[in-house]
Amino acid sequence: MLETVELRKVYKGKIAVQEVSLYLDQGESVGLIGPNGAGKSTTISMISSLLKPTSGDVRLHGKSVIQQPQAIRKVLGVVPQEIALYEELTAYENLKFFGRVYGLKGKELEQKIQELLEMVGLRDRQKELIKTYSGGMKRRINIVAALLHEPQIVIMDEPTVGIDPQSRNHILETVRLLNRVQGTTVLYTSHYMEEVEQLCQRMYIMDHGQIIAAGTREELQHILAGEDTIIIQLSHKEFGLTQELESFESIRQVEETEQGLKLIVIKNSPIMSRIVQAAERHHVQILNIHVQSPSLEDVFLHLTGRTLRD
Ligand SMILES: Nc1ncnc2c1ncn2[C@@H]1O[C@H](COP(=O)(O)OP(=O)(O)OP(=O)(O)O)[C@@H](O)[C@H]1O
Ligand SMILES: [Mg+2]
């Protein structure tokens, strides 16, 4: 339905996006994951024809849309990363304004506004000024603004960053409803792997302007089929121990996490006793140790050597 072909953007000699080729089939929900500065927003701006690519193409039903941005604007709804609303107007007035921009009016627009406000759980707050809204509520209104013209494809750029859990739940529920009930095609961008796992059938992982992996959850996890994840809870942090573990051949990655030290090790390697001995040498007690199958976060760590929220 929608695809990018070797999309590239260079800002004053600095490459922001390089040769990004991705596609969305009708009715799919697809995730786009990557750390800060990976090039997600730049890619989205080029898809939505707000930004001209340095090279490459964006195609809707096989036809290039770079020369005719109108075609894509009609079928696409974009929820930008930055909130774009008028602070001095009420939520309702904002939506009325954006509806008119799309050429909607009268009863039809009124009905759509009420239906969508209901969907994001803000119908009873619509007469209040945007400047009195919380960040999460603004985000929800921003989403409604992108849905007024009933787009067939919706792109959301990190809609849940830095907001309260209640707004987050409303947003996730809205995405689910749009995709699973209404059949809208969704491209969902996030730093949160667990959101993408819940919402998307397929995902692209982006880093340094490139797509470094793509596929379903199972396909991506297969990248780590030969590895185990070991989580060790320690009495205290000890840099020397981390360093020593990093030097073991069968340990691919060592990372400090909230649950403890996370090791990605070659599957079935006889490493436990060596870990215990190393801890003893550094006078660190092991409080707990367990092996788990790798998560998508681990796949990301494996591919980039970094966590998503570095
Ligand atoms: N207008 C611009 N001028 C120059 N460089 C830019 C501009 N916009 C983005 N960049 C650079 O392009 C790269 C990709 O940025 P982009 O905003 O697309 O990343 P992102 O994946 O959306 O990151 P985040 O998760 O922080 O939103 C970054 O290195 C950024 O500094
Ligand atoms: Mg961004």
Side-chain angles (χ1 to χ4, degrees), residues 40-41 81 157-158:
K40 304 180 297 296
S41 298
Q81 190 165 3
D157 196 353
E158 305 202 42

Side-chain angles (χ1 to χ4, degrees), residues 166-183:
Q166 195 199 357
S167 286
R168 183 168 182 257
N169 288 339
H170 272 294
I171 290 173
L172 297 182
E173 210 35 62
T174 301
V175 178
R176 237 175 249 128
L177 208 78
L178 272 175
N179 177 247
R180 298 199 188 148
V181 181
Q182 301 182 10

Side-chain angles (χ1 to χ4, degrees), residues 11 14 16 35-42 81 158 191:
Y11 287 112
K14 189 168 171 289
N36 287 129
K40 304 180 297 296
S41 298
T42 306
Q81 190 165 3
E158 305 202 42
H191 278 213

